[in-house]
Amino acid sequence: QSVLTQPPSVSAAPGQKVTISCSGSSSNIGNNYVSWYQHLPGTAPKLLIYDNNKRPSGIPDRFSGSKSGTSATLGITGLQTGDEAEYYCGTWDSSLTTVVFGGGTKLTVL
Amino acid sequence: QVQLAESGGGVVQPGGSLRLSCAASGFTFSSYSMHWVRQAPGKGLEWVAVISYDGSNKNYVDSVKGRFTISRDNSKNTLSLQMNSLRPDDTGTFFCARDFAGFFSGTLDFWGRGTLVTVSS
């Protein structure tokens, strides 16, 4: 049981938009920055979004992040087959004093 | 460019020990906190431990406290994870990752590709 809650899967057609939600509490998302990661099996996870809505260098603006209260959302527009991956939200939990992740959301581009 | 390369994984019997290493390059290792994160087969990412840039502060997930020890050698740009009293549910791929900052920011900006640990008799 993950501290942060994500939907197990989402899907959309190429070129469409999808959003992935991440729900937490005041000890984690509510009072700390949220990050989003993309992970393909056998590869290193990649940071997509940090500080709720900032993109590291090299991450296209098709990826966006937002936060409201104790929830966060990752948005991906102009879906490509190469976007098929597992996506995780993560943040610091001030009560646990640990990093916490969501359970992951598998994105399928139909 | 930032590179992180894990090593030391393998097959170990329950109750056994294993030491993982992570070789860092392409950045000033001694300026960043470092993490270990694992992924059990078919499961999601689980954070394991963090160590501050100078090694003075360490945190662990409850399930490994007293069994795992995170450490670093800034002179060799190396992060380590000593794992004792291993259990079958410790099986998984272990990733090292760099923290965005010197303190515990919770943002992991660069990751290695992982090393597989299998605990089985």
Side-chain angles (χ1 to χ4, degrees):
Chain A
Q1 192 89 4
S2 302
V3 173
L4 305 180
T5 301
Q6 297 180 234
S9 63
V10 296
S11 62
Q16 296 301 301
K17 173 183 178 178
V18 71
T19 60
I20 299 173
S21 62
C22 176
S23 177
S25 68
S26 59
S27 67
N28 42 67
I29 292 178
N31 284 284
N32 293 289
Y33 287 119
V34 177
S35 301
W36 288 91
Y37 306 90
Q38 179 190 61
H39 188 211
L40 290 155
T43 70
K46 178 192 293 186
L47 177 67
L48 289 178
I49 298 289
Y50 69 99
D51 288 0
N52 304 330
N53 56 18
K54 298 177 182 175
R55 284 177 287 105
S57 174
I59 300 300
D61 60 7
R62 299 188 299 109
F63 296 89
S64 64
S66 64
K67 186 182 103 168
S68 178
T70 59
S71 294
T73 301
L74 173 70
I76 311 173
T77 61
L79 278 171
Q80 304 172 0
T81 55
D83 295 332
E84 285 201 336
E86 197 84 20
Y87 291 84
Y88 296 89
C89 57
T91 186
W92 183 257
D93 191 297
S94 304
S95 295
L96 299 173
T97 62
T98 68
V99 173
V100 291
F101 291 108
T105 298
K106 181 174 177 57
L107 168 63
T108 301
V109 181
L110 302 168
Chain B
Q1 71 279 27
V2 174
Q3 292 191 333
L4 298 169
E6 304 89 341
S7 61
V11 180
V12 61
Q13 292 188 340
S17 298
L18 211 56
R19 186 177 182 88
L20 306 183
S21 294
C22 172
S25 61
F27 66 102
T28 304
F29 181 70
S30 59
S31 296
Y32 292 86
S33 294
M34 296 294 296
H35 301 257
W36 286 100
V37 176
R38 66 183 176 184
Q39 182 176 36
K43 302 295 185 182
L45 300 176
E46 180 189 28
W47 179 84
V48 174
V50 62
I51 186 169
S52 60
Y53 68 99
D54 61 354
S56 63
N57 288 286
K58 306 173 187 180
N59 279 26
Y60 302 89
V61 68
D62 281 349
S63 60
V64 308
K65 283 180 181 176
R67 301 189 300 122
F68 290 10
T69 302
I70 188 171
S71 62
R72 65 190 298 158
D73 185 338
N74 285 345
S75 68
K76 296 182 179 179
N77 291 348
T78 300
L79 174 72
S80 297
L81 186 68
Q82 177 66 43
M83 304 186 295
N84 299 329
S85 302
L86 281 161
R87 309 186 303 220
D89 63 356
D90 292 318
T91 293
T93 298
F94 283 72
F95 302 94
C96 68
R98 189 182 83 167
D99 197 288
F100 185 66
F103 55 93
F104 301 166
S105 77
T107 296
L108 283 58
D109 62 351
F110 287 97
W111 300 60
R113 296 186 64 169
T115 187
L116 179 62
V117 172
T118 303
V119 184
S120 173
S121 55

